[in-house]
Amino acid sequence: MRYEHPFLTDCHINNVVFESYILAKAALSEDTYEAALKYMKNSSLFKNSFAFYPVFMNMVKEKEVIISDEFFPALYDSLSSQSSSILKTRVEINQDECEPINLNVSLENSEYGTEDCITMFLHDVDDFTVGASLGNTTIMGDFDVTLSGRNVVLNAPVEIDCRILKSKCSELSLLRIYEKENPGNNNQIYISCQELCTIVDDQGHITNLKHSDCDFYIRSNKRPAFPFSQFYSGIPIDKKDPDYLKFQKLRRIILQFRGHKRGELAKMKDKILNRNAYGIGRSTVNALVANGIIYERNHLYVIDEDKFMKILGMSYDNMINSEINDKVRKFLCSY
């Protein structure tokens, strides 16, 4: 008589929650994470990851973990499936300022009015892969980013600032979130890179680009090839520019602000201060507050769009598109 395990059938784990528990446990161990990745990459075994993020979160005690970057797509897909709206999920991936070989990945879920956040440290990542979908996300750092898969969807707002962007997907859809769920100026997809490469897929086809009514900008050192060439906006700011570091920090702070139901651009004050606790970041926040560009209301920092325009001489959209003018340079020189 053949023994049958209640949760296993031909190496497949039948119960989704039990499957997520085993994979999360394995992902956190140096001895078993490769076996977990092998299982998750087998489409005949791993079908649905909706329980992976909450189970993983329940296991993480300190809310800071070191994990392989290859687990990111499953964590992101699971996190997104927990939310009724894409804008309830927020992802930030930045190069760690103290350990540049690490990527600091912050996953947030504010579905119930609080920000449930986990920080992952991805060690020694040279090429970060984006899976099936990405939305309400900022990726910044000196590494390559690859859009890989049959169909990849970018839901605005998305910003990718990297070394080389590789489009290796068969189809790339650029979508705008429905305005009722997305008040404010949050419908941009912005890419800044040294080069944008289009790589043929397994069938020998280049990326088929599907563009909705979101605003799409590409800044790279040379004009990208079809189908991205029509969205080329020029070269990015030179990293040798004396204002480069301050300007990038200013942009990163401003881009954390998102539209709220009142039509304002706001962000939790503690989130802004915690991510800019010292150095240029804290000096920039202090200068923004001192000039009234952002002001405190209860637990939030809110952008005063009139002063933003008056002092910086540009709109929020211009800031997203990485434009720098004389007023911005004057502001950067003031601290």
Side-chain angles (χ1 to χ4, degrees):
M1 180 177 177
R2 183 181 176 184
Y3 174 75
E4 293 186 4
H5 192 282
F7 291 140
L8 297 176
T9 303
D10 296 328
C11 298
H12 176 255
I13 306 171
N14 295 324
N15 184 282
V16 174
V17 177
F18 184 57
E19 177 186 58
S20 296
Y21 173 82
I22 292 175
L23 293 174
K25 195 79 172 176
L28 293 169
S29 170
E30 291 185 3
D31 298 327
T32 54
Y33 83 93
E34 290 184 349
L37 284 173
K38 184 177 179 181
Y39 181 93
M40 296 172 81
K41 289 179 179 179
N42 188 331
S43 59
S44 64
L45 296 177
F46 188 65
K47 302 288 187 183
N48 196 324
S49 62
F50 76 88
F52 187 51
Y53 177 79
V55 171
F56 185 89
M57 281 290 296
N58 191 52
M59 286 188 180
V60 179
K61 304 301 182 183
E62 302 298 328
K63 298 294 179 72
E64 288 191 358
V65 294
I66 296 177
I67 189 172
S68 169
D69 62 296
E70 295 181 83
F71 287 105
F72 173 79
L75 280 168
Y76 176 79
D77 290 344
S78 175
L79 174 62
S80 300
S81 69
Q82 307 301 313
S83 302
S84 60
S85 165
I86 293 171
L87 290 177
K88 301 294 184 181
T89 300
R90 170 76 181 145
V91 181
E92 291 184 6
I93 303 174
N94 295 302
Q95 206 112 32
D96 192 288
E97 294 182 4
C98 300
E99 295 289 343
I101 61 172
N102 289 339
L103 298 189
N104 188 329
V105 181
S106 179
L107 299 174
E108 300 175 4
N109 185 5
S110 57
E111 177 72 16
Y112 304 107
T114 59
E115 293 194 354
D116 178 27
C117 178
I118 179 173
T119 298
M120 300 189 301
F121 294 99
L122 309 182
H123 183 69
D124 201 13
V125 178
D126 189 61
D127 192 334
F128 185 82
T129 299
V130 174
S133 66
L134 205 62
N136 203 13
T137 297
T138 299
I139 301 176
M140 290 183 175
D142 187 26
F143 51 88
D144 296 348
V145 173
T146 299
L147 306 178
S148 180
R150 185 173 180 181
N151 299 303
V152 175
V153 178
L154 299 183
N155 290 287
V158 172
E159 180 186 13
I160 301 175
D161 189 339
C162 64
R163 192 170 55 210
I164 298 176
L165 181 71
K166 306 169 188 175
S167 179
K168 199 178 178 181
C169 50
S170 302
E171 184 173 285
L172 175 62
S173 298
L174 309 176
L175 303 179
R176 173 177 178 169
I177 302 171
Y178 183 57
E179 189 68 29
K180 183 178 179 180
E181 294 186 1
N182 188 21
N185 302 319
N186 291 333
N187 290 309
Q188 293 85 8
I189 296 177
Y190 175 80
I191 293 172
S192 177
C193 56
Q194 296 175 17
E195 184 178 0
L196 194 159
C197 300
T198 303
I199 303 172
V200 297
D201 62 17
D202 296 336
Q203 285 72 45
H205 302 140
I206 64 171
T207 301
N208 177 29
L209 183 63
K210 292 188 174 182
H211 175 245
S212 183
D213 58 349
C214 62
D215 298 322
F216 185 35
Y217 306 98
I218 298 172
R219 285 187 177 271
S220 61
N221 291 340
K222 64 178 182 179
R223 191 181 191 90
F226 179 84
F228 298 99
S229 54
Q230 60 182 309
F231 301 103
Y232 183 61
S233 300
I235 62 174
I237 182 174
D238 190 344
K239 293 185 178 181
K240 295 180 181 179
D241 189 306
D243 293 325
Y244 174 78
L245 290 177
K246 281 189 174 181
F247 182 65
Q248 286 299 88
K249 180 58 71 173
L250 174 64
R251 286 188 69 253
R252 291 185 187 189
I253 292 170
I254 295 301
L255 288 171
Q256 291 180 47
F257 287 76
R258 290 289 183 255
H260 284 234
K261 291 182 179 180
R262 294 186 182 183
E264 301 171 321
L265 291 164
K267 182 70 176 179
M268 290 181 68
K269 178 184 175 181
D270 288 346
K271 283 293 180 183
I272 296 291
L273 295 179
N274 289 342
R275 291 173 187 169
N276 300 279
Y278 55 87
I280 297 175
R282 180 50 62 91
S283 299
T284 303
V285 173
N286 291 342
L288 287 168
V289 173
N291 284 274
I293 297 172
I294 63 175
Y295 62 92
E296 184 178 349
R297 190 182 67 218
N298 299 325
H299 63 289
L300 297 174
Y301 270 145
V302 182
I303 290 180
D304 185 321
E305 295 189 54
D306 291 335
K307 288 188 177 179
F308 190 102
M309 175 66 77
K310 180 180 179 180
I311 296 172
L312 299 179
M314 63 170 60
S315 66
Y316 179 85
D317 291 356
N318 298 137
M319 182 67 71
I320 288 179
N321 197 19
S322 199
E323 296 178 13
I324 186 167
N325 58 29
D326 291 340
K327 284 191 173 183
V328 171
R329 291 189 186 277
K330 181 179 179 181
F331 172 78
L332 298 175
C333 290
S334 69
Y335 61 94

